[in-house]
Amino acid sequence: MEIRQKKGDTPLQEQLTEPADNIGYLGMGAAALMFVVLSIKELYEVYVLEDHPLVYKKFLDTITTAITIVVVAVPEGLPLSVTIALAYSMKQMFKENNLVRHLAACETMGGATTICTDKTGTLTQNLMTVVQGYFANRLMSLPGSPAEDNREVAKALSGSATQELSNLLAESISINSSASKKRIPGDKPGVHHLEYVGNKTEQAMLKFLEKGGHDPMAIRSRFDPQEVHVFPFTSAKKTMTTCLRLNGVMRYHVKGGAEMVLSRCVAVHCGSHSEPITDERKHELIANINQMARGRLRTIAVAYAESRISSQGTPFPTTDD
């Protein structure tokens, strides 16, 4: 459910509030001044000049005129004028290929001098791919062509020395993901094709597994949904955690911002075995992360942990701490 918040005034509305209030105050002052002047004039004619007797209708007419001045002074056509101006601005911006969904945003977008965008979606094709990785103490770079990418990934994840790491990585990425593959209608009637849907980063990681010869959806189907518990990604922790209840073991797969995940790790998997993370090794990993970040890449780290459980019915943890 969305959190409903009271919308504030736009910059243009804030600028127009002060002159509108001043016009209203000026109209009220003019009406009060006119009422006082006309009332004094009427009393002077009645009691000093004795031109005619006192008639209360004269004062009622004066009050009516004063109220009319107040009503006319209020700029009731100002909101309509602002709406028309914003609608015209939206039309002009649309001609420049700038789509504005809300009229109130026209004044903000129209005055923008610098646009800050995310790495994906705004100025690109809204697609992401894995281009670099660090596995088993080896930095892997993908050239970009499908054939060469498949060869590099297979080289990094295949072999007896990295088979255990490859299986763990495939399990972690496949299970700890909200993206999935669905049947999408094609351009022609009756034609469908399978396509990944969901988070673009997770789609890229699942496609990376396919390049290494793994089937993420098949891996995911091996596990009973009753034995899987997911802690969704949160912006506060910048991680996503999935718990697997296996035979006597609770396995935790964690994925998220490289710095956040690395700060919680105590060992690094070297392919066939794990080694404790020393200060020297931690600096090496941080250097690789910074190198990727300087190349304008989104750095994601994958980790796992295991703990013994007494029975298969052991409840899942309530938090992912």
Side-chain angles (χ1 to χ4, degrees):
M1 180 181 296
E2 294 184 358
I3 300 177
R4 299 181 178 179
Q5 297 180 347
K6 184 179 179 180
K7 294 183 178 180
D9 294 336
T10 65
L12 181 59
Q13 290 174 335
E14 292 177 354
Q15 294 177 7
L16 293 177
T17 298
E18 184 177 356
D21 292 342
N22 292 337
I23 292 174
Y25 296 147
L26 181 62
M28 291 170 44
L33 179 62
M34 187 207 67
F35 176 77
V36 172
V37 170
L38 292 181
S39 298
I40 294 176
K41 176 177 177 294
E42 180 66 19
L43 293 174
Y44 179 78
E45 292 178 351
V46 171
Y47 293 106
V48 177
L49 300 181
E50 297 182 354
D51 290 345
H52 54 78
L54 181 63
V55 180
Y56 291 103
K57 186 176 181 301
K58 290 277 188 178
F59 293 95
L60 294 177
D61 292 341
T62 303
I63 293 176
T64 302
T65 304
I67 294 175
T68 302
I69 293 176
V70 174
V71 173
V72 172
V74 175
E76 57 184 9
L78 188 59
L80 178 60
S81 302
V82 173
T83 302
I84 294 175
L86 293 178
Y88 177 78
S89 300
M90 185 179 70
K91 184 178 179 181
Q92 294 300 114
M93 294 182 68
F94 182 75
K95 291 180 180 179
E96 298 178 2
N97 298 326
N98 294 322
L99 179 60
V100 181
R101 296 175 56 190
H102 304 285
L103 286 178
C106 287
E107 52 184 290
T108 304
M109 292 299 297
T113 57
T114 303
I115 299 178
C116 301
T117 64
D118 195 5
K119 298 182 181 70
T120 302
T122 307
L123 299 178
T124 60
Q125 299 178 356
N126 198 22
L127 295 174
M128 296 189 72
T129 57
V130 176
V131 296
Q132 283 189 355
Y134 188 80
F135 310 102
N137 300 329
R138 177 177 176 269
L139 184 63
M140 177 201 67
S141 297
L142 302 184
S145 64
E148 294 179 353
D149 287 356
N150 294 343
R151 186 162 51 249
E152 283 293 325
V153 175
K155 181 180 178 181
L157 299 182
S158 63
S160 59
T162 58
Q163 190 61 46
E164 180 182 353
L165 174 60
S166 177
N167 294 336
L168 280 171
L169 184 64
E171 178 182 292
S172 180
I173 295 177
S174 301
I175 294 297
N176 194 26
S177 174
S178 60
S180 61
K181 185 176 286 188
K182 293 186 178 181
R183 190 179 298 274
I184 306 297
D187 297 333
K188 298 180 181 180
V191 178
H192 296 77
H193 62 276
L194 293 176
E195 185 175 312
Y196 282 110
V197 295
N199 183 273
K200 297 299 180 181
T201 303
E202 294 180 338
Q203 290 185 38
M205 298 178 71
L206 294 176
K207 293 176 182 178
F208 168 78
L209 288 182
E210 291 184 342
K211 294 178 180 179
H214 296 282
D215 187 347
M217 297 300 102
I219 296 174
R220 189 178 298 180
S221 64
R222 297 174 190 168
F223 299 92
D224 184 357
Q226 300 298 326
E227 306 299 327
V228 179
H229 184 72
V230 179
F231 293 96
F233 176 87
T234 61
S235 58
K237 295 183 177 180
K238 293 182 174 59
T239 58
M240 175 181 178
T241 304
T242 298
C243 304
L244 295 179
R245 195 159 48 194
L246 305 176
N247 295 328
V249 174
M250 185 79 75
R251 182 174 294 168
Y252 309 88
H253 289 294
V254 182
K255 174 189 65 182
E259 297 87 352
M260 302 294 293
V261 175
L262 179 59
S263 64
R264 300 169 61 181
C265 292
V266 296
V268 57
H269 207 298
C270 299
S272 58
H273 64 284
S274 298
E275 295 180 355
I277 297 181
T278 61
D279 291 340
E280 182 180 355
R281 175 57 64 86
K282 188 171 184 179
H283 290 320
E284 178 186 352
L285 295 173
I286 293 176
N288 283 294
I289 293 172
N290 293 337
Q291 180 183 353
M292 295 179 184
R294 283 193 295 268
R296 297 181 298 276
L297 301 179
R298 179 174 296 175
T299 56
I300 305 294
V302 177
Y304 83 102
E306 291 182 349
S307 61
R308 294 291 178 180
I309 55 178
S310 57
S311 65
Q312 195 63 17
T314 301
F316 291 108
T318 56
T319 65
D320 59 342
D321 293 332

